[in-house]
Structures are given as structure tokens and as C-alpha cells.
Amino acid sequence: LSLDLNQVREALIRMEDSIIFAIIERSQFLKNEKVYESGAISVPGFSPANGKQHSMVEYLLRETEQMHGRVRRYTSPDEHAFYPDDLPYLVLPPIEYPSLLHPYAENININDQVMKVYFEELLPRICNDGDDGNYGSAALCDIDVLQALSKRIHYGKYVAESKFKDQRNVYEPLIRAKDEAGIMNLLTVESVERRVVRRVRNKACVFGQDIQDVMGTISLSQEDLKESDSKVDPERVAKLYNDWIMPLNKQVQLEYLLHRLDDTE
């Protein structure tokens, strides 16, 4: 983990790869609605609050977090559980991570929004309707996408801290005034966002194709994108990034910065 702006950008670019590959894997299966319906597939998991049986994807996500939680995944400051109140005891001693962020960062977890956006907005756009019976495979792919999205979105804390340190004299007056619009305007660099969307579109086009044994230099024109036989629609992936992933990341940045000066004056 680093606050160097170049290293932060490199980390975000690597996370793009993880998200795109995870989306491509999920897109090979039909939507499989039963995976998301309580009681549609019998699993040994029930809500302690109302006794409602978990859906298959919720059951598998909870069990995954139990396993990963035992080996310290969620003690890392760049990892965020979807069910943080139900994490297990560690079986390994905790690691002391360097303190790079303001303590308020620990209070920021918008995985409820990540999950809502994924199931309501992203999933219907990357999967065809229908039921192919691949319930376990579909649910495990869902978990991979959710975890990749969560990491990318919550990395906004590091982006925000890096930007704050780079322009502290500009951010501090806005933070003291609780000027959300002013902070968001400062966070938004449209030329950079357009470049990110363009890069994601190109990656989705390349990653979604079958690579031949011998290839020349990859160069993608708009015509190439239209004619490509990709496993996932590159334009759709780019739109998901532009409409949901980057805005949620900036939401994390904004919340972090609004509290950046807490208990420091």
C-alpha cells in the first residue's frame, strides 16, 4: 500500500483487469434467478433476525468471508467485508499495517450499495436471461465480481488521501466549509475519466477475445471495437465503469475527505 499518486494509479489499473476478467467469467452463464431467491435453492443458512432462508449467493458469500476472515483478509485496510458484523476469530496473528489513512477511514464501508448496484444494474447487463442450471458456478463468479468491485471502489480512500496531501491548501478550506460540491468538482477530472473509460473499453475488447498463437501489435479503432467478436460487450463494460463504478469510488473519496480534518485541529 502506498500514497504515491503514480503507484495508486497503477493499483487502480490492475484492479480494472480483475474486474473485467471477473465480468467475462460471469457472462458465460445465464442469469439464473434462483441463485438470488430466498428458498429457491435449499442452503443451511438463515437470518437470525427474521428466520428467512438465505439465497444461495448470500450463503456462499457469507461462507467465503468466514473462511477468508480467519486468515486475516479483512484486517488489511484495503479489504472490506460485505458482512463485517459476522466476521470470525482469526487463526493467524494480526499484521500491523502502516497507518496511511485518517482513522475515519475505518468507518467507510459502502458494500451495501456495491451489492445493490451489482444485482440491480450490472448483472442484468452482463448476463442473458434464463436458467442453465449452473447455480454454483454463477454464484461463485458473482462473488469474484463483488469482491473485485468492492476493492476498486473502496480504494477511493487512498486516492483521496493522496490527492489531499498533494493539494492540502486547496482541499482544507473546502473541507472546513463542508463544501461537498466544491470537493466533488475538485475530485472530478473529466479528461482522466474519459481516458479510464476508453482504456476499460479497449481491455474488455481484447480480454474478451480468443487470442491466436501469432498476433501483431494490438491497435483498436472504433471500427475494430464494433466488429470484434468479444465474450462481453466492451461498450457495456465501459458504461458500467462510467455510470456506477467511478461514481461510487468518488462517493468514497468525498466521504473520506469530509472527515479528513476530524480531531486534527
Side-chain angles (χ1 to χ4, degrees):
L1 297 175
S2 170
L3 291 177
D4 177 80
L5 198 52
N6 288 327
Q7 292 189 39
V8 169
R9 290 194 185 103
E10 289 175 4
L12 294 175
I13 290 172
R14 289 194 301 272
M15 291 176 204
E16 291 170 7
D17 298 353
S18 299
I19 291 171
I20 294 168
F21 278 122
I23 287 174
I24 290 171
E25 286 298 302
R26 180 60 184 91
S27 68
Q28 68 182 305
F29 304 110
L30 297 180
K31 191 173 180 183
N32 292 315
E33 290 281 1
K34 287 184 179 180
V35 171
Y36 315 105
E37 297 173 1
S38 172
I41 301 172
S42 183
V43 295
F46 297 83
S47 168
N50 56 26
K52 187 178 181 180
Q53 189 174 35
H54 294 155
S55 67
M56 185 176 188
V57 74
E58 180 177 351
Y59 170 73
L60 289 177
L61 179 54
R62 286 179 177 275
E63 290 299 304
T64 299
E65 291 195 341
Q66 289 293 305
M67 180 175 62
H68 291 185
R70 290 188 181 94
V71 291
R72 301 188 295 218
R73 176 171 187 169
Y74 301 108
T75 64
S76 177
D78 65 339
E79 295 283 358
H80 298 76
F82 284 86
Y83 303 104
D85 295 333
D86 295 329
L87 291 177
Y89 293 111
L90 297 176
V91 298
L92 296 173
I95 296 174
E96 290 291 331
Y97 290 94
S99 179
L100 300 178
L101 302 176
H102 186 279
Y104 185 82
E106 296 182 8
N107 298 321
I108 302 175
N109 185 329
I110 64 167
N111 272 339
D112 56 340
Q113 295 183 58
V114 174
M115 193 177 294
K116 179 180 175 64
V117 164
Y118 176 67
F119 290 125
E120 294 184 5
E121 304 292 349
L122 274 65
L123 186 63
R125 289 170 168 81
I126 63 176
C127 295
N128 293 324
D129 290 335
D131 189 316
D132 57 19
N134 290 300
Y135 304 139
S137 297
L140 291 175
C141 287
D142 286 328
I143 292 170
D144 287 342
V145 180
L146 284 168
Q147 290 177 332
L149 290 173
S150 174
K151 188 163 187 174
R152 170 62 174 82
I153 288 165
H154 287 97
Y155 215 78
K157 300 176 189 181
Y158 292 90
V159 176
E161 179 66 20
S162 180
K163 290 179 178 178
F164 175 80
K165 288 185 177 298
D166 191 51
Q167 293 184 285
R168 182 167 188 142
N169 62 323
V170 179
Y171 277 103
E172 280 195 359
L174 297 173
I175 294 170
R176 291 195 184 95
K178 299 297 181 184
D179 184 353
E180 295 187 16
I183 295 172
M184 186 61 78
N185 184 59
L186 199 57
L187 292 174
T188 303
V189 183
E190 292 185 359
S191 61
V192 172
E193 293 184 0
R194 286 195 299 269
R195 190 162 61 245
V196 170
V197 171
R198 188 164 58 246
R199 185 174 62 236
V200 167
R201 182 189 299 114
N202 290 344
K203 284 183 178 181
C205 181
V206 173
F207 295 170
Q209 296 185 61
D210 293 324
I211 304 301
Q212 305 301 317
D213 291 339
V214 179
M215 294 186 67
T217 301
I218 296 175
S219 178
L220 298 174
S221 65
Q222 286 299 316
E223 186 175 344
D224 293 328
L225 289 170
K226 290 178 182 178
E227 294 180 357
S228 66
D229 184 21
S230 180
K231 297 181 178 71
V232 63
D233 183 356
E235 289 292 345
R236 192 165 292 184
V237 176
K239 183 174 176 58
L240 298 178
Y241 234 85
N242 185 72
D243 292 355
W244 290 289
I245 297 174
M246 289 197 299
L248 285 174
N249 178 273
K250 286 197 292 185
Q251 179 181 326
V252 168
Q253 293 184 55
L254 176 62
E255 182 177 355
Y256 177 83
L257 288 171
L258 284 172
H259 295 274
R260 178 58 179 79
L261 299 179
D262 290 3
D263 304 320
T264 62
E265 298 178 315

